[in-house]
Amino acid sequence: FFVPGSGLDSVVGNATVLYLLWWIPYVCFMLLFGIDLPKKFKYDGTPNNPKWDTVFHSTMRQGACILIGRTFRGRSKRESLQQMEENNFDLVDFLIYMGFHMIAALSAFYLIGYPCFESQKFHLFMLIFVAWLAVTRGSSRYTYYTTKMYSRALRKEFADQLEEK
């Protein structure tokens, strides 16, 4: 991607560009639309019928909201739990999350990439570990989408019929 001799014409330079080609559009999407997709309430307080979820919201509901709130925002655990319940995370939370995502991803190029280059055994271990991680997390996410998320939506849709029985 880079002009030879620029200092960025390396695997790390190309990986950084590739990461930014994902990161910038994702952040723009989330800032424009995504942050509001799974919210339970609209801005005026009326109930919302969320149809979509994002990885950011899912990660925040798994405890990252409490950690970010306590460490960087001075937010109480009760406030964080309410945000998690309503899927109502603000832009500052998102920007902190994405800042740490970028730091972790870019540092991984050095912390994992160099040992992979130096050791075939470490490289093999990382290949197996990443394949296992992708299968585990992918199946967990698929299970969430096909069971928990949709069963909740179906119960809500057919609540009146279920109550009659």
Side-chain angles (χ1 to χ4, degrees):
F1 291 146
F2 295 106
V3 177
S6 66
L8 297 173
D9 56 338
S10 65
V11 173
V12 172
N14 288 321
T16 301
V17 168
L18 192 60
Y19 176 76
L20 292 174
L21 287 173
W22 167 84
W23 193 87
I24 292 169
Y26 179 75
V27 169
C28 292
F29 165 77
M30 287 297 289
L31 293 176
L32 294 172
F33 310 106
I35 199 82
D36 294 329
L37 287 177
K39 283 186 178 179
K40 286 191 175 182
F41 298 100
K42 297 178 183 176
Y43 288 109
D44 61 3
T46 59
N48 189 18
N49 188 16
K51 294 178 180 67
W52 307 100
D53 197 13
T54 67
V55 173
F56 163 71
H57 289 85
S58 176
T59 304
M60 292 295 278
R61 285 192 308 269
Q62 293 172 3
C65 180
I66 295 170
L67 180 65
I68 289 172
R70 179 182 62 230
T71 308
F72 299 103
R73 307 288 309 277
R75 189 171 52 222
S76 72
K77 185 175 181 178
R78 190 180 108 278
E79 289 174 300
S80 292
L81 289 172
Q82 182 177 357
Q83 282 184 317
M84 291 163 62
E85 175 63 30
E86 297 174 358
N87 274 329
N88 188 17
F89 308 109
D90 60 18
L91 294 179
V92 176
D93 287 337
F94 175 70
L95 294 175
I96 292 169
Y97 171 85
M98 288 309 294
F100 276 99
H101 189 283
M102 180 183 279
I103 290 167
L106 296 179
S107 64
F109 296 155
Y110 294 96
L111 298 175
I112 296 171
Y114 185 73
C116 281
F117 178 76
E118 289 293 317
S119 167
Q120 285 184 345
K121 288 181 181 179
F122 186 78
H123 188 244
L124 178 62
F125 166 76
M126 288 308 298
L127 287 173
I128 293 168
F129 175 72
V130 168
W132 171 81
L133 191 62
V135 168
T136 303
R137 289 190 177 174
S139 64
S140 170
R141 193 78 185 151
Y142 179 78
T143 302
Y144 167 75
Y145 281 136
T146 59
T147 58
K148 295 178 184 173
M149 187 174 142
Y150 290 120
S151 64
R152 198 175 327 128
L154 287 171
R155 273 191 237 107
K156 184 178 179 182
E157 188 69 31
F158 297 107
D160 55 339
Q161 293 175 0
L162 290 171
E163 289 175 4
E164 292 173 3
K165 292 183 178 187

